[in-house]
Amino acid sequence: MRHLQTFGSGGALFVIALIGLASLALSAQAQSPGSLVLGERVAKVEVTPAVADVGVERTITISGIWPGCVPVGAQLIDDGRTSPTTRLVRMNLPLTLVACPAAYLPYTVTTKYTPKSRGIDRLLIQNTDGEYLGEGLLDTRAPDNNRSAYNITGMWYDPASNGSGLTFVHSRADSSNNAVFGTWYVYDSSGMPRWYTIQNAEWKSGGLVLEGTMYETRASASCPIVFLACPAPLSQALVAGRARFTITGTGSAKAEALNASGAVVFTSN
């Protein structure tokens, strides 16, 4: 699974897509040893299991890079000062008089938490000085709840089919909305680009399977080719079938294109 790729090569008509949990990039600002400052959003936050019910212990893993002596642990703070849907996680730094190296070093720390109520909690990661380091989501729900298990927002491509790709816009963080809009861009056998949109998508199987209608939009024959953004009438928005995406892990999925009768015509892992 890969992130953003230049879409420029042609090939056979493949409908390729991979989805999954978008990984967070780690970044830090290189400063002089006397003024080391963390860059924004340097913490990657993962919750295991990603989705579970009330009473199930969850492991919160925080990783990234740190200037000097790395954190030795993390602690979930419940002091009543945060909102009911926000959980503060504070990074513990080593108590030592030994000089820390003037270098950015990798770290991984964990803490445990057992939710007592259902909902989506925001995990706010801070250091001991209250500086913001990153955030994540803690999803607690009933086993039969079909809300999405992962946020699939992002741009995706398959290295085996460079030039094809998929873009998702997913409103998972909004507790009142779980909508997904997708765009699938591929090439036909003659090397011409073909675009499909995925609309009216619904989550199934505990939020691990997404199904939606695929539409193909073509410009009318009267549209001059020099107009790259030439609009097409609604009659040219054709139902091409359905798309089904089954999440198989935090970084992998199976993508399937289905025809009008529901038969699978293409599969990509």
Side-chain angles (χ1 to χ4, degrees), residues 36-263:
L36 290 175
V37 178
L38 280 177
E40 295 183 358
R41 295 182 177 270
V42 297
K44 176 182 178 181
V45 184
E46 294 182 343
V47 178
T48 307
V51 178
D53 203 352
V54 172
V56 177
E57 185 180 67
R58 318 287 283 279
T59 299
I60 303 170
T61 302
I62 307 166
S63 59
I65 51 179
W66 197 273
C69 296
V70 299
V72 294
Q75 181 182 6
L76 194 140
I77 307 298
D78 189 7
D79 56 8
R81 290 184 296 176
T82 56
S83 71
T85 58
T86 299
R87 302 286 178 260
L88 176 62
V89 181
R90 184 171 296 159
M91 306 284 278
N92 298 328
L93 297 178
L95 298 176
T96 176
L97 297 178
V98 177
C100 295
Y104 287 92
L105 302 175
Y107 71 90
T108 299
V109 295
T110 61
T111 186
K112 306 282 188 179
Y113 178 63
T114 302
K116 299 180 178 62
S117 60
R118 291 170 178 165
I120 296 181
D121 291 336
R122 178 191 180 200
L123 297 174
L124 182 62
I125 314 301
Q126 294 183 350
N127 63 12
T128 53
D129 294 327
E131 294 176 305
Y132 172 84
L133 300 177
E135 61 184 83
L137 294 178
L138 182 72
D139 193 344
T140 305
R141 66 170 99 162
D144 58 352
N145 188 314
N146 284 324
R147 185 179 179 84
S148 60
Y150 298 96
N151 185 349
I152 61 173
T153 294
M155 301 182 69
W156 307 94
Y157 80 104
D158 183 356
S161 182
N162 190 14
S164 300
L166 174 70
T167 299
F168 276 128
V169 178
H170 184 188
S171 302
R172 182 175 184 270
D174 183 356
S175 60
S176 63
N177 187 11
N178 196 26
V180 177
F181 181 86
T183 304
W184 222 338
Y185 21 91
V186 297
Y187 291 88
D188 62 19
S189 57
S190 64
M192 296 299 294
R194 302 284 288 272
W195 290 70
Y196 301 88
T197 58
I198 302 169
Q199 304 180 39
N200 305 317
E202 296 181 349
W203 288 96
K204 304 178 180 180
S205 303
L208 294 175
V209 177
L210 177 72
E211 289 193 17
T213 304
M214 286 201 308
Y215 294 89
E216 181 180 16
T217 303
R218 300 180 182 178
S220 61
S222 60
C223 178
I225 195 170
V226 294
F227 295 147
L228 300 180
C230 180
L234 290 178
S235 61
Q236 295 297 312
L238 308 175
V239 176
R242 293 187 63 79
R244 180 167 61 210
F245 307 96
T246 303
I247 299 175
T248 57
T250 56
S252 60
K254 178 173 67 175
E256 297 171 298
L258 295 78
N259 61 19
S261 62

Side-chain angles (χ1 to χ4, degrees), residues 20-33:
L21 186 63
S23 59
L24 298 178
L26 303 178
S27 64
Q29 299 173 343
Q31 303 282 342
S32 63

